[in-house]
Structures are given as C-alpha cells and as structure tokens.
Amino acid sequence: MSRYEPLHSPLQLQPLQPLPRQPLLKTGYRTPATSALQAGTAPVGWRQLGLLPLLLFIVAVALLEAYGLDLKLGDLLYRLEGQQWALREHWLTAGVIHNGGRLLSFGLLLVALLGWTLSWIRPSLSHWRPSLSYLISAVLCSLLIVNIAKHLTGLDCPWTLQRYGADHIYHSLFSLDPATTSGGSCFPAGHASAGYAWVALYFLALHHLGGSSARARRYRRLALLPGLGLGLIFGISQQLRGAHFVSHDLWTLAICWFSALILYRWRLWPRPAGPKFCYSRIYAGTSGS
C-alpha cells in the first residue's frame, strides 16, 4: 500500500432526503390556520343568524298586532295589581331592577372599556383589542338606535293611557296617525336595551369558539344567557310597572340582535377565530399527549 493511498475510500455524498413529516396533533384537532373563520367562512350561516331571526320577529309582531296581545297582557297585569300600577314605585322593580340594572349594564361597559384600554398598554392583551372594540361598539350602537327610535315614534307608556286611568289615547305602531302623536318616548323599550344589548356576547363567542363540536355550540348558547336574561328581567319588570308593552321589548331585542349581527359581519366575520396565545397553549398541551 502506498503511503499516500487513503486508508478508506472517499465518502460518496448522497443527496439529502427530506425527513417524513410527523403529525403534530392528534386526529380530530385543527390548527388555527385551518379554522373555519380564518378560511373566510363562519360556523353558523348568515341565514341562521339573520333570516331565521327576522322571520320569527315578523311572525311575532304580526301575532301581537293581529290579536291585540299588547293590550290583553297589559289589561291582565293592571287587573292583577288592583286596577293600578302598584309596582310602579316598588323597591324591587323601580329600585333594584330599574336603577340597579342600569348601573350594572353601565359597569359592564366600563369593564369592557378598561380591557380595551389595557390592550393598548400591555402587548400581551393586544389580541383581544378587536373583540373588545366590537363588543363596545355593538352595545353602544344598540343603545343609540333604541334611544333615537324612542324619540321618533312618539308612542306612550301604558301608565299614560286612558285605558289605565291616565289621559292619553292608545296607538299602536302601525295605526299611529302623526297628527295625533302625544310626544311620548316609550317605544321601543329603553331599559330592556341595557340588557338585550349584551346579546353581542353571543357573536363574540361565535368568533372565538367557531367550531362545530358540541362543546363549542354549548358555550355559544351560554354566551346568549347574559343578554337574554338581563333583557327579559329588565323588560318584564318594566311591564309590571306599566312602562312598556310586550311589543316594545320585542322590538328592542330585534334592534339589539341585528345591530350586533351587522357589526359582527362587518368587523369580525373573516378574521382569525381567537388570540394566538390561546391556541398555542391549547395545542401545545394536546400535541404531546
């Protein structure tokens, strides 16, 4: 063997082969990049969110108007209270639910505003800024539309009507003659809007929990409870006080729902479903199990 002959044959360089891709997640898990909302679609269709509620609203309004259910229910409550609005100044309806409920809704709005402000100060909270911005704008938009409508319609409260011992003549929304308006500001229901405005929480849950699993659907339904629950409590309390008819609350609910829906379609529909750090924690925990 020559002293210059290599001990080993030269290495043959082979082209690098790509390593096989390993699944990061178990079957059934989806990454944020493949989520429905990032792909530009929503887990609940536009027809379900808009057309079905609109149809139910039209049917409910038609039934209330055709059968005079506003007056029938108002007569029943007035009779049960002893031919007077005995609960008009009651500590529960006027104090706790009316005044306290207004403060509760205002406090919730302040919490949302505080969170939105902090999202500009703390970078770790910036992911929540679009959601909080949507929630605040949806609530304020609902309240604003209801208050504008109250002054445009000029309808009276039950407690101002001749039918219930006062001096004004009853007019429904569809039989109202502009020449006979009394300048009332009781339609739609303003206090109920302080509760129903929070149905925007449902669309926020739809944005962040956009999956089709049973758990996601359950959480979205739970997100409806604050808005519907507060709206019902505020609305029924005002009906017991003689401040509103049931149709006033129905219109308020419709205004709040469709205001939140339109803003959701405009601001949140095509965007990512949730904060990145939430997904990173969730999927980091599942990938290693």
Side-chain angles (χ1 to χ4, degrees):
M1 177 183 298
S2 171
R3 60 183 298 184
Y4 299 105
E5 184 178 352
L7 296 176
H8 303 283
S9 59
L11 294 176
Q12 298 295 325
L13 297 179
Q14 300 293 334
L16 295 176
Q17 300 295 327
L19 294 174
R21 298 184 63 182
Q22 298 295 329
L24 297 179
L25 302 175
K26 291 182 177 180
T27 303
Y29 290 98
R30 302 175 68 191
T31 63
T34 59
S35 64
L37 288 181
Q38 278 206 348
T41 60
V44 181
W46 180 252
R47 294 181 180 179
Q48 291 175 266
L49 294 172
L51 294 183
L52 181 58
L54 179 61
L55 177 61
L56 293 175
F57 168 69
I58 293 173
V59 171
V61 169
L63 291 175
L64 287 172
E65 186 70 17
Y67 292 98
L69 296 180
D70 268 349
L71 291 178
K72 289 181 179 178
L73 182 57
D75 292 349
L76 175 62
L77 295 177
Y78 188 72
R79 185 169 61 252
L80 291 175
E81 295 181 36
Q83 302 297 323
Q84 60 178 328
W85 298 113
L87 298 177
R88 179 171 179 175
E89 301 299 334
H90 194 271
W91 65 269
L92 178 60
T93 54
V96 175
I97 299 179
H98 188 261
N99 297 330
R102 183 184 302 163
L103 291 176
L104 174 62
S105 184
F106 182 69
L108 292 174
L109 187 59
L110 281 181
V111 170
L113 283 168
L114 177 62
W116 179 81
T117 303
L118 288 175
S119 72
W120 290 94
I121 300 173
R122 298 181 63 88
S124 61
L125 299 177
S126 61
H127 301 93
W128 293 104
R129 192 181 307 146
S131 299
L132 290 170
S133 176
Y134 160 76
L135 181 62
I136 294 167
S137 59
V139 171
L140 291 178
C141 184
S142 297
L143 298 177
L144 179 62
I145 293 175
V146 168
N147 274 278
I148 291 175
K150 285 167 68 71
H151 295 286
L152 292 178
T153 54
L155 291 180
D156 292 301
C157 304
W159 62 38
T160 64
L161 300 178
Q162 293 179 356
R163 190 182 190 95
Y164 304 117
D167 55 355
H168 289 183
I169 300 174
Y170 169 76
H171 295 282
S172 74
L173 179 66
F174 300 102
S175 64
L176 185 61
D177 181 359
T180 62
T181 57
S182 61
S185 58
C186 290
F187 177 90
H191 187 54
S193 68
Y196 285 132
W198 294 98
V199 297
L201 289 171
Y202 169 79
F203 296 98
L204 205 59
L206 183 62
H207 179 60
H208 289 285
L209 302 169
S212 57
S213 65
R215 177 178 294 183
R217 292 194 299 268
R218 182 168 65 252
Y219 286 155
R220 291 199 295 267
R221 288 194 294 267
L222 289 175
L224 268 176
L225 293 182
L228 292 182
L230 288 175
L232 282 172
I233 292 172
F234 294 170
I236 292 174
S237 173
Q238 289 296 84
Q239 292 175 43
L240 291 173
R241 297 181 68 221
H244 293 290
F245 290 116
V246 65
S247 67
H248 299 188
D249 295 324
L250 179 63
W251 277 88
T252 295
L253 173 58
I255 290 172
C256 294
W257 177 268
F258 290 108
S259 297
L261 173 61
I262 292 171
L263 283 174
Y264 165 71
R265 184 65 178 89
W266 174 36
R267 304 192 62 177
L268 296 182
W269 186 282
R271 299 188 181 183
K276 294 179 181 178
F277 73 91
C278 289
Y279 282 105
S280 62
R281 292 179 182 177
I282 293 172
Y283 290 105
T286 57
S287 59
S289 58

